Amino acid sequence: MLSENIRAAREAKGLSQIELAARLNVVRQTISKWERGRSVPDADLLVSLANALDVSVNDLLSEMPAPEAVDSQSAGDLRAIAEKLEAVNLWIARQGIRRRAVLEGVSVAVLAATSIGFAAAFVLGSPYLGWDLSDPETAVMATMLHGIEWAFVRAVPFLIVAAGVGVFLAARRRQVF
């Protein structure tokens, strides 16, 4: 059973519930609930748990029946199911890693683009302020440029903070695995 396997693997590794919880970035009560069978880890946490305990997900999920109850046919079926489950969990782990990489890439791109845009706006100033605005088309263009500049300057701080948080969270989650 999962709860017994988690406890056995943790004890075999010589970890306390607090130490395991710290490795997984969860509270000790979460580990306690898993070990008492009151809750189960989600797929991402199950993969992280297996990594932290140096066991396979299959080892954590296996329920080995009594040896006399297992014939060769059911043992083969159990192995096939375990292999499929391991493949699914590996795919889930890879998807999580891919999502974090995309989050980090998008965050870095947004951070770079807003920084470059802000620097360009600072260096260029507002050239439209010197235009002759007596021509209606020029006045409309200057108004549009001013509106874009106004919105950009107000949005940049939020974009930089959001992108920085995205980079931090992606890097932090990468350290867990």
Side-chain angles (χ1 to χ4, degrees):
M1 186 178 237
L2 177 63
S3 59
E4 295 164 359
N5 293 345
I6 292 172
R7 173 177 282 135
R10 178 183 59 77
E11 290 173 352
K13 185 82 170 155
L15 295 173
S16 68
Q17 288 183 346
I18 294 172
E19 292 168 330
L20 182 57
R23 288 185 182 191
L24 297 174
N25 292 324
V26 297
V27 294
R28 184 205 55 83
Q29 289 81 358
T30 301
I31 304 298
S32 176
K33 285 180 182 178
W34 292 345
E35 289 184 355
R36 288 184 290 138
R38 304 245 182 218
S39 69
V40 295
D42 65 16
D44 285 339
L45 274 174
L46 188 61
V47 172
S48 298
L49 179 62
N51 289 339
L53 296 172
D54 292 327
V55 297
S56 70
V57 173
N58 183 36
D59 291 340
L60 289 176
L61 294 174
S62 69
E63 285 189 47
M64 295 306 293
E68 62 275 0
V70 178
D71 61 6
S72 63
Q73 177 65 30
S74 62
D77 291 344
L78 284 175
R79 249 183 256 112
I81 290 170
E83 288 172 4
K84 288 179 183 177
L85 183 58
E86 189 71 31
V88 167
N89 285 316
L90 182 61
W91 179 81
I92 289 170
R94 286 183 179 155
Q95 288 297 101
I97 290 168
R98 198 170 294 130
R99 276 193 303 268
R100 283 186 294 283
V102 167
L103 171 66
E104 189 173 14
V106 167
S107 297
V108 167
V110 167
L111 192 60
T114 55
S115 298
I116 290 170
F118 193 71
F122 183 74
V123 169
L124 294 175
S126 300
Y128 58 85
L129 294 177
W131 292 355
D132 177 20
L133 301 179
S134 60
D135 179 25
E137 290 180 8
T138 306
V140 168
M141 181 62 79
T143 303
M144 287 176 28
L145 286 175
H146 181 71
I148 291 169
E149 185 180 76
W150 181 88
F152 182 77
V153 167
R154 275 142 188 89
V156 164
F158 297 108
L159 289 172
I160 288 175
V161 168
V165 168
V167 169
F168 173 76
L169 290 177
R172 181 171 170 239
R173 289 289 295 181
R174 188 176 7 167
Q175 291 174 352
V176 171
F177 292 104

